[in-house]
Amino acid sequence: MRCRRAVGALLLAGAVTGLAAAPVQAQAQAQAETLSQARAQAQEYRYWSFWDSKGGSWSYASEGPATARPADGSVQGFRFTVSADSAAAGKPRAAADFDALCQGTPAREGSKRIGVVIDFGTAADAPDGETPPKARTECARVPEDASAGDALAAVARRLRYDSNALLCAIAGYPKSGCAEQVSGSGGAGGSGGARKAPSSPSAKAADGDGDGGPSAGLLGGIAAVVVLGAAAVWQARRRRG
């Protein structure tokens, strides 16, 4: 009798575990698929990124060059890059070394010295038909209240901005365009291709785009049904006995 009760308890425990695990597994799978689709659909942009020097290394700037007001001894970096966000943006490849950049520019009262690094990026990031110029490093002497944009203007000509004061070109590079969307890993951008809308996990399963096998949640549900059926048969036999 005790053995039968133990078997019945085990069957019921298995049923409860199967029912609880099925929706959790299905939810985890759906979240993983959604995250994968979001990454695949991330769109990339071609633009001038702006960097601050902190402890001799580059850090993505928290504000634009028009409003940033670096102190004497700072280094500002500009890198033409293609990326979907700041985390993936290419950093200036020259070192953020103020002493090396401004060693021949002595301090002067009423002004400040700003090291400026201009990295025109790689050929892979260049717009069609253009070749990136060689990187430049300069030391700008500007008024004490000057912005990073003022420091850039002091050492580089032919700057181009859009109507929202977004930096579009340095030294005439690139010739046209401003922060244009380019083809990303999950869809086409400003090049004229059609954008592919992300599909939901349920639609993906219905369309047969999965790996061809049942999901972990489905297997868990089937197992739960089997266990519940076995438990019901056992209970019926027990009553008749």
Side-chain angles (χ1 to χ4, degrees), residues 3 16 20 35 50 55 65 81 87 100 112 114 123 128 135 182 199 213-214 217 232 236 240:
C3 181
V16 172
L35 179 60
F50 177 47
T81 187
K112 60 184 178 182
I114 307 297
D128 292 341
V182 299
S199 58
R240 286 198 299 268

Side-chain angles (χ1 to χ4, degrees), residues 48 58 76-80 92-94 101 115-121 133-138 151-153 155-157 159 170-171 173:
W48 277 102
W58 293 111
Q76 306 298 134
F78 299 84
R79 166 74 186 265
F80 193 71
R93 288 167 289 182
L101 294 174
V116 179
V117 173
I118 306 172
D119 190 331
F120 293 89
K134 292 182 179 180
R136 295 169 51 181
T137 58
E138 306 282 354
L152 175 63
V155 297
R157 302 301 178 186
L159 303 180
I170 298 176
Y173 183 82

Side-chain angles (χ1 to χ4, degrees), residues 4 8 11 228-241:
R4 289 181 178 180
L11 289 173
L228 283 173
V233 172
W234 178 81
Q235 288 287 355
R237 289 180 177 176
R238 182 171 174 273
R239 291 192 186 98
R240 286 198 299 268

Side-chain angles (χ1 to χ4, degrees), residues 49-54 59-72 74-78 112 114-116 142-153 161 165 167:
S49 59
F50 177 47
W51 300 81
D52 291 327
S53 63
K54 292 185 177 180
S59 175
Y60 201 88
S62 59
E63 57 182 315
T67 57
R69 287 186 164 32
D72 180 78
S74 300
V75 180
Q76 306 298 134
F78 299 84
K112 60 184 178 182
I114 307 297
V116 179
V142 291
E144 291 180 332
D145 61 347
S147 67
D150 295 329
L152 175 63
Y161 292 85
L167 180 62

Side-chain angles (χ1 to χ4, degrees), residues 62 91 215:
S62 59
K91 298 179 181 180
S215 66

